[in-house]
């Protein structure tokens, strides 16, 4: 009887020990900004911000995107980004290699939050890509813009914002429309 008792206690201790070591922690839920349309694979998380010249114009726009729950990984080489304001519409081209600070008329991945493995252009569910857009012409105060990010063969992510009445050098939050 004593041997069975020791065996039972040992079994319980082993079960408690291994129960904490075998499971993965679930991914933390991510905040989604705005509705997700049917067929849409990308969503916007957080603010859309701009950097520019104090009391002047906004030169670059920064935003963060992630994959909608349950979607397959997305190759960033297969997306198209269109920028439009009251005067122009332009298709921005990616920087060489898709990563880096974009010159005028281009876009680039400037960071990856939660990056898995070595750097690549493939967005996994756990990752969020920070994109920077640099339109050919800067934004003026109170200008309405539309950014359309379209992964090949899917519903586009459409973002409409307005620039603030007073431009700062950094962290100009473009207000949601």
């Amino acid at each position: 009887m004593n041997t069975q008792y020791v065996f039972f206690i040992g079994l319980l201790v082993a079960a408690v020990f291994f129960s904490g070591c075998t499971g993965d922690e679930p991914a933390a839920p991510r905040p989604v900004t705005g509705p997700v349309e049917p067929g849409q694979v990308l969503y916007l998380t957080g603010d859309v911000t701009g950097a520019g010249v104090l009391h002047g114009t906004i030169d670059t726009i920064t935003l963060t995107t992630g994959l909608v729950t349950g979607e397959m990984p997305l190759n960033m080489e297969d997306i198209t980004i269109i920028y439009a304001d009251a005067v122009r519409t332009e298709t921005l081209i990616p920087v060489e290699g898709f990563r880096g600070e974009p010159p005028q008329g281009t876009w680039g991945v400037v960071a990856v939050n939660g990056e898995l493995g070595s750097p690549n252009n493939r967005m996994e569910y756990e990752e969020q890509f920070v994109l920077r857009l640099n339109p050919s012409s800067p934004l003026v105060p109170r200008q309405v813009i539309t950014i359309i990010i379209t992964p090949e063969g899917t519903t586009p992510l459409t973002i409409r914002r307005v620039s603030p009445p007073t431009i700062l050098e950094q962290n100009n939050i473009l207000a949601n429309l």
Side-chain angles (χ1 to χ4, degrees):
M1 177 106 173
N2 196 10
T3 306
Q4 291 175 343
Y5 179 71
V6 171
F7 177 74
F8 181 71
I9 296 297
L11 188 60
L12 283 175
V13 168
V16 169
F17 178 75
F18 286 112
S19 68
C21 299
T22 58
D24 291 335
E25 291 184 29
R30 298 176 296 189
V32 176
T33 305
V36 176
E37 300 294 327
Q40 188 174 314
V41 298
L42 286 178
Y43 73 94
L44 179 66
T45 180
D47 293 326
V48 177
T49 61
V53 178
L54 183 62
H55 301 293
T57 59
I58 294 175
D59 298 320
T60 62
I61 301 164
T62 304
L63 56 98
T64 304
T65 61
L67 282 177
V68 172
T69 304
E71 291 297 331
M72 298 299 290
L74 172 69
N75 189 340
M76 295 302 284
E77 296 170 13
D78 295 333
I79 69 168
T80 302
I81 299 180
I82 297 172
Y83 167 86
D85 58 33
V87 178
R88 74 197 52 76
T89 298
E90 66 177 312
T91 300
L92 301 176
I93 58 173
V95 297
E96 187 174 333
F98 294 86
R99 292 191 180 224
E101 288 294 329
Q104 282 188 322
T106 67
W107 66 271
V109 177
V110 293
V112 178
N113 299 330
E115 188 161 26
L116 301 174
S118 59
N120 59 52
N121 295 330
R122 188 177 167 101
M123 183 186 294
E124 305 285 342
Y125 172 71
E126 297 84 0
E127 299 175 327
Q128 295 179 347
F129 277 47
V130 180
L131 306 178
R132 184 154 301 139
L133 288 59
N134 191 344
S136 296
S137 296
L139 281 78
V140 296
R142 295 186 179 100
Q143 185 170 355
V144 175
I145 63 166
T146 302
I147 299 166
I148 302 171
I149 304 173
T150 309
E152 189 174 286
T154 67
T155 302
L157 167 61
T158 302
I159 304 162
R160 294 196 68 218
R161 295 291 189 271
V162 63
S163 59
T166 302
I167 306 295
L168 307 172
E169 285 183 44
Q170 298 291 325
N171 299 322
N172 291 286
I173 295 177
L174 280 67
N176 195 2
L177 289 179

